[in-house]
Amino acid sequence: MQSLKDSINQKIRFMLGDSWWDVGSVIEETQEFFVEGTKGKKVNGVASIEDATSEDLAFCSWDGEKAYQLIARSSAEIILCRKGLKGFIHPRQGSQLAFVDNPKLSFVQFVNRVLHEKEQGLLLANERKGEKTEGS
C-alpha cells in the first residue's frame, strides 16, 4: 500500500494528446507577453515546473532567487513566468521563457481551453457516429 508521503511526492504530468502547441497558442490573444529563447518550441503536455520534461509547458509564479532556482533546474520546453523577471533570468539552451502578467492564470486558461476543445471534439466525434451524448 502506498503511503501518504509517496502519493504526495508522485510526479504529475498531463499529456495533451497528439497536438503540439507553440507559445502563441498557449497564451490568450488578449494578453501582452514577451518571449525569450529558442524559436519554434512546441509542447504537448503540462506539468509542474519541478516535474516538467522537454515536451511540457510549466509555470513559475515566484520572484527573485526562488524563481531563478526553479527555472534554472526545470526541463520544461516552455515556462510561463512573471514579466518582472524579464532581463534578470534567461532560458536554458533549447527552451523558451514567456513573460506574462500572471503565469498561473495563463497556464490554467490554456489547460482549460485545451480540455474544452478536446471535449467538444469528442462530442462531435460521438455525434458523427450517431451516439447520443449527454444532454442531447
Side-chain angles (χ1 to χ4, degrees):
M1 186 160 156
Q2 195 173 34
S3 73
L4 179 59
K5 182 180 176 188
D6 290 338
S7 32
I8 290 172
N9 290 328
Q10 281 186 348
K11 293 183 178 190
I12 298 174
R13 181 171 185 269
F14 180 74
M15 291 291 299
L16 300 174
D18 295 332
S19 299
W20 289 79
W21 287 270
D22 64 12
V23 71
S25 59
V26 167
I27 300 170
E28 293 283 329
E29 293 177 9
T30 57
Q31 289 188 57
E32 180 184 41
F33 65 96
F34 306 96
V35 177
E36 209 176 290
T38 306
K39 293 182 182 195
K41 293 283 123 185
K42 293 188 176 192
V43 295
N44 81 336
V46 293
S48 71
I49 193 163
E50 295 97 346
D51 299 330
T53 71
S54 61
E55 297 179 346
D56 292 331
L57 171 72
F59 74 93
C60 178
S61 291
W62 291 91
D63 284 316
E65 186 62 29
K66 179 75 172 177
Y68 181 82
Q69 290 173 2
L70 287 168
I71 292 169
R73 282 189 253 150
S74 181
S75 295
E77 188 79 353
I78 300 173
I79 301 174
L80 305 174
C81 52
R82 294 183 182 278
K83 279 184 182 174
L85 294 173
K86 188 171 177 356
F88 295 102
I89 197 159
H90 303 283
R92 66 173 168 65
Q93 185 73 23
S95 69
Q96 262 183 1
L97 296 180
F99 299 95
V100 298
D101 288 323
N102 188 332
K104 184 177 183 179
L105 178 62
S106 296
F107 183 88
V108 170
Q109 286 174 334
F110 170 68
V111 171
N112 285 339
R113 192 171 72 242
V114 169
L115 291 176
H116 178 75
E117 288 172 6
K118 285 178 88 172
E119 181 179 274
Q120 292 304 311
L122 183 60
L123 290 175
L124 287 173
N126 287 340
E127 288 172 4
R128 286 187 193 123
K129 290 180 188 176
E131 298 175 13
K132 280 216 163 233
T133 58
E134 191 175 315
S136 57

